[in-house]
Amino acid sequence: MAGNKVIIVGASGAVGQEMLKIMEERNFPVSELKLCATERSAGQEMLFKGKAYTVEETTPASFEGMEIAFFAGGEASLEFGPLAAEMGAVVIDNSSNFRLDPDVPLVVPEVNPEDVKTHKGIIANPNCSTIIMVVPLKAIYDVAGIKRVVVSTYQAVSGAGAEGITELTEHTRAALDGGEVVPSKFQYPIAFNLIPHIDVFQEMDYTKEEWKMVKETRKILHDDALQITATTVRVPVYRSHSESINIETKSKVTAEHAKKILADFPGVIVQDSPADKKYPMPLYTSGKDEIFVGRIREDNSVDKGLNIWVVADQLRKGAATNAIQIAELLIKYDCLGKR
Amino acid sequence: MAGNKVIIVGASGAVGQEMLKIMEERNFPVSELKLCATERSAGQEMLFKGKAYTVEETTPASFEGMEIAFFAGGEASLEFGPLAAEMGAVVIDNSSNFRLDPDVPLVVPEVNPEDVKTHKGIIANPNCSTIIMVVPLKAIYDVAGIKRVVVSTYQAVSGAGAEGITELTEHTRAALDGGEVVPSKFQYPIAFNLIPHIDVFQEMDYTKEEWKMVKETRKILHDDALQITATTVRVPVYRSHSESINIETKSKVTAEHAKKILADFPGVIVQDSPADKKYPMPLYTSGKDEIFVGRIREDNSVDKGLNIWVVADQLRKGAATNAIQIAELLIKYDCLGKR
């Protein structure tokens, strides 16, 4: 039977569900499918191409004979990732566990597809905010080079999973109707508020999310000299992350040229017509696989500067879609089961 | 009777109401008070220190004998501002009509108080986003100089007046409960969305709001060489604007030093303790007069860089409080009725 033996670990979570949906949409070739999760979620039924699959608890035996193992996130890949690879699967891991490991390629298919060929059993899927930024950056990078990036993010609650979504709804109702707000997934009430704190604080008082944007972008672009600083902020939006990105290029790029470069780049849609009030917004990019770029302007505060406003569905292109695209590359380059 | 003869034009709007409240809170010396607005709002009653005042329609006669004329915003100061000044009042105008006029000082009392002394009858109150940025910038500027600023804003709906507030509530209810959303004050539904478009588009595809942040900041700091680029975004927050500000200084400032400089500056409160999850958020700064600064970090992507996260109530310090403070300076410097 044509297709691959595929396991999704963390299938019942927000990203896992999305992976299943996207495999179906893209008609990803599957000959055998196993859906796994923690004990708590085992027993749930999920549909794939009209057929019901029961979610099983992940155990070492789950990986027997599997060719592609998607890990949707969290700690599971620490426990089972290396084992799955050893048992012959190529692991595509959406967690941050292996992203900066020099033996693990970190891949965005539009940016560094060839890197999948160097895998030793595990390929890492970058952080959602990084993916959304690095695709338009690569378009500019190839044409003009990039010296420095200053990015401020506006990140949706679904970046914190299904609980983040529930919490935004509950906090919003409480704020409108009166009622108590007990933050659990977020540090503070998120309704009608902004929280400049995503993931844990690390060195120099940057959050881990901010460091991910710096370090992962350098790794994906293979450029350790690329200067980046980031400020990441949670906003009361359900889905799709937005980013205000200031770019200092090495050679001059006009706004017109930047629009053309971006429009020509795979996976990018330019929405930029101020006269028609056309610019990307999270409400309209959710459920889409492309990265939407607008507000493309020259920045004359430096010799060679650009501002862009980027919005994309962080559960799709920022996570699940990118992972499935990596698996498609593995098939295209015939890199499965060969190492 | 001690105090000044004060008129507020646009008294019934969001900023006008706030001006009245702040005059009362600060015990601003008033011997006579006149509240004016358009015909539509005339007849409303408003309280000041327990006494009811009836809002009158603004006419040339309204300014007879007045010493201080606050204009809360909009077109009114174009029609009546120069006349009020001619009739002897000092006009303190919250609109953008005269801000860039070389004959009109543009004043933030913590930053350029002496400029009030140069007035020729009209003093302009800066744009809210500008005020909130320029106060912490000035603290850094005085100690280290500033070469370049990259700012991205997260602006509350009340920046668009009382209608903005109503629209956020209505759009949010419609989004939660189902129902039709008809944007009127904003370009698109604002609930659970972000709109990267504030005020009209102008040259280089920057919005007027973005140009205000560039041009007004230069004027207030008397530094036309200061390089600034801005991206302004409306967010579903009721009150208090937030700004992610990247600063390139002329001499090196450590994060520790920046915290001290900012904490020592008038009108600024530093909230910055990542270990205690302490950073400014719009939900907790509304109704306050200070500018809250946190997430103070060195930015190593340039030689001398800093990141700060700034939040302040844009109706108070960003508008009404700043206007009343200007009036207090006029009294302190004895600049009323003398020109």
Side-chain angles (χ1 to χ4, degrees):
Chain A
M1 184 179 169
N4 303 100
K5 296 176 181 172
V6 173
I7 174 171
I8 302 181
V9 179
S12 56
V15 172
Q17 289 177 38
E18 209 64 37
M19 283 174 166
L20 201 60
K21 198 161 122 191
I22 292 165
M23 279 207 299
E24 186 166 329
E25 285 175 17
R26 295 173 79 98
N27 204 19
F28 185 82
V30 175
S31 62
E32 191 183 324
L33 179 65
K34 202 175 281 184
L35 303 182
C36 292
T38 56
E39 197 187 350
R40 195 171 52 92
S41 300
Q44 283 185 30
E45 292 220 324
M46 295 181 75
L47 285 177
F48 178 69
K49 295 192 174 178
K51 189 179 157 192
Y53 291 79
T54 304
V55 176
E56 301 168 25
E57 185 185 351
T58 317
T59 69
S62 310
F63 301 95
E64 200 74 58
M66 291 292 119
E67 293 167 304
I68 300 174
F70 292 106
F71 284 78
E75 303 292 298
S77 67
L78 276 182
E79 191 177 350
F80 297 107
L83 176 78
E86 209 171 284
M87 289 170 74
V90 178
V91 169
I92 300 172
D93 180 23
N94 191 46
S95 83
S96 63
N97 299 324
F98 301 102
R99 286 182 192 149
L100 299 180
D101 184 326
D103 281 339
V104 174
L106 183 65
V107 177
V108 179
E110 293 86 347
V111 179
N112 59 338
E114 300 288 321
D115 285 359
V116 298
K117 296 178 181 169
T118 67
H119 81 80
K120 294 174 181 169
I122 301 179
I123 298 174
N125 210 37
N127 174 48
C128 49
S129 306
T130 307
I131 295 177
I132 291 166
M133 176 169 77
V134 78
V135 174
L137 284 190
K138 172 69 171 171
I140 306 290
Y141 189 94
D142 283 348
V143 173
I146 296 180
K147 199 173 147 190
R148 181 181 178 226
V149 174
V150 178
V151 57
S152 296
T153 70
Y154 304 64
Q155 296 185 221
V157 296
S158 48
E163 288 168 72
I165 297 174
T166 310
E167 201 156 309
L168 175 56
T169 302
E170 284 173 359
H171 286 190
T172 304
R173 285 207 183 277
L176 289 179
D177 301 331
E180 214 178 331
V181 167
V182 184
S184 117
K185 194 70 196 175
F186 300 115
Q187 300 87 351
Y188 293 93
I190 184 62
F192 309 116
N193 195 20
L194 307 168
I195 306 175
H197 177 182
I198 299 178
D199 212 330
V200 296
F201 280 101
Q202 296 186 327
E203 67 269 28
M204 289 179 67
D205 287 348
Y206 281 62
T207 60
K208 191 174 176 188
E209 185 81 358
E210 287 156 356
W211 280 123
K212 284 176 188 172
M213 294 189 80
V214 174
K215 294 174 183 175
E216 294 182 13
T217 301
R218 286 181 182 156
K219 177 167 176 173
I220 297 164
L221 291 175
H222 299 281
D223 184 351
D224 283 342
L226 181 58
Q227 297 302 318
I228 308 172
T229 190
T231 301
T232 60
V233 181
R234 187 76 67 191
V235 300
V237 163
Y238 281 109
R239 192 159 166 164
S240 282
H241 287 354
S242 305
E243 303 181 3
S244 171
I245 308 178
N246 180 271
I247 305 166
E248 193 179 346
T249 54
K250 289 184 176 168
S251 58
K252 176 72 183 171
V253 183
T254 64
E256 275 322 299
H257 191 198
K259 281 178 203 174
K260 191 180 173 332
I261 292 167
L262 288 161
D264 288 347
F265 201 77
V268 171
I269 291 180
V270 169
Q271 288 185 328
D272 194 350
S273 178
D276 309 317
K277 298 183 193 169
K278 216 174 137 192
Y279 30 72
M281 287 175 283
L283 202 57
Y284 303 105
T285 57
S286 300
K288 308 243 165 94
D289 283 317
E290 294 85 2
I291 292 169
F292 296 82
V293 185
R295 302 293 331 270
I296 300 164
R297 293 166 291 152
E298 278 159 60
D299 161 18
N300 289 341
S301 76
V302 277
D303 263 0
K304 296 150 192 156
L306 284 174
N307 285 311
I308 60 174
W309 169 255
V310 179
V311 186
D313 186 328
Q314 88 286 355
L315 292 179
R316 290 185 68 103
K317 182 55 192 170
T321 303
N322 199 72
I324 307 299
Q325 286 175 311
I326 290 173
E328 290 170 346
L329 278 182
L330 285 168
I331 295 168
K332 178 179 164 191
Y333 293 149
D334 197 17
C335 292
L336 281 170
K338 289 192 173 167
R339 56 183 188 276
Chain B
M1 185 178 169
N4 302 100
K5 296 176 182 170
V6 173
I7 174 172
I8 302 181
V9 179
S12 55
V15 172
Q17 289 176 38
E18 210 64 36
M19 284 174 164
L20 201 61
K21 198 162 124 189
I22 292 165
M23 279 208 299
E24 184 166 330
E25 284 175 19
R26 296 173 79 98
N27 203 20
F28 185 83
V30 174
S31 61
E32 191 183 323
L33 179 65
K34 202 175 281 185
L35 303 182
C36 292
T38 55
E39 197 187 350
R40 194 170 55 92
S41 300
Q44 284 185 29
E45 292 220 322
M46 296 181 77
L47 285 177
F48 179 67
K49 295 192 175 178
K51 191 180 155 193
Y53 291 79
T54 304
V55 176
E56 300 167 25
E57 185 186 349
T58 317
T59 68
S62 309
F63 301 95
E64 199 75 58
M66 292 291 118
E67 293 167 303
I68 300 175
F70 292 107
F71 283 78
E75 302 292 299
S77 68
L78 276 182
E79 190 178 350
F80 297 107
L83 176 78
E86 210 172 283
M87 288 171 73
V90 178
V91 169
I92 300 172
D93 180 23
N94 191 47
S95 83
S96 64
N97 301 324
F98 300 102
R99 285 182 192 149
L100 299 180
D101 184 327
D103 281 338
V104 173
L106 182 66
V107 177
V108 179
E110 293 87 348
V111 178
N112 59 337
E114 301 287 322
D115 284 357
V116 299
K117 296 178 181 170
T118 67
H119 82 80
K120 295 173 181 169
I122 302 179
I123 298 175
N125 210 36
N127 174 49
C128 49
S129 306
T130 307
I131 294 177
I132 290 166
M133 175 169 79
V134 77
V135 174
L137 284 190
K138 172 71 171 170
I140 306 290
Y141 190 95
D142 283 348
V143 173
I146 296 180
K147 199 172 146 191
R148 180 179 178 229
V149 173
V150 178
V151 59
S152 297
T153 70
Y154 304 63
Q155 297 185 222
V157 296
S158 48
E163 288 166 72
I165 297 173
T166 310
E167 202 156 309
L168 176 56
T169 301
E170 284 172 359
H171 287 189
T172 304
R173 285 207 184 276
L176 289 178
D177 301 330
E180 214 178 329
V181 167
V182 184
S184 118
K185 195 69 196 171
F186 300 115
Q187 300 87 351
Y188 293 92
I190 183 63
F192 309 117
N193 195 19
L194 308 168
I195 306 174
H197 177 182
I198 299 177
D199 211 331
V200 295
F201 281 101
Q202 296 185 328
E203 66 271 27
M204 289 178 68
D205 286 349
Y206 282 62
T207 60
K208 191 174 176 190
E209 184 80 0
E210 288 157 354
W211 280 123
K212 284 175 186 171
M213 294 190 79
V214 174
K215 294 174 182 174
E216 294 181 15
T217 302
R218 286 181 181 156
K219 178 167 176 174
I220 296 164
L221 291 173
H222 298 281
D223 184 352
D224 284 341
L226 182 57
Q227 297 302 319
I228 308 172
T229 190
T231 301
T232 60
V233 180
R234 186 75 67 192
V235 301
V237 163
Y238 280 109
R239 196 162 162 161
S240 281
H241 286 355
S242 305
E243 303 181 4
S244 171
I245 308 178
N246 180 271
I247 305 167
E248 192 178 349
T249 54
K250 289 183 176 168
S251 58
K252 174 74 184 169
V253 183
T254 65
E256 274 323 299
H257 191 198
K259 282 179 202 173
K260 189 177 174 334
I261 292 168
L262 287 161
D264 288 347
F265 201 78
V268 171
I269 292 181
V270 169
Q271 287 185 329
D272 194 351
S273 178
D276 308 318
K277 297 184 196 168
K278 215 173 137 192
Y279 30 73
M281 287 174 284
L283 202 57
Y284 304 106
T285 56
S286 299
K288 308 245 166 91
D289 282 318
E290 294 86 1
I291 292 169
F292 296 82
V293 186
R295 304 293 329 271
I296 300 164
R297 295 166 290 153
E298 278 160 60
D299 160 20
N300 289 342
S301 75
V302 277
D303 263 0
K304 295 152 192 156
L306 284 174
N307 285 310
I308 59 175
W309 169 253
V310 179
V311 186
D313 186 328
Q314 89 286 355
L315 292 180
R316 290 184 68 102
K317 182 55 191 169
T321 303
N322 199 73
I324 307 298
Q325 286 176 311
I326 290 172
E328 289 169 348
L329 278 182
L330 286 168
I331 295 168
K332 179 179 164 192
Y333 293 150
D334 198 16
C335 293
L336 281 170
K338 289 189 174 169
R339 56 182 188 278

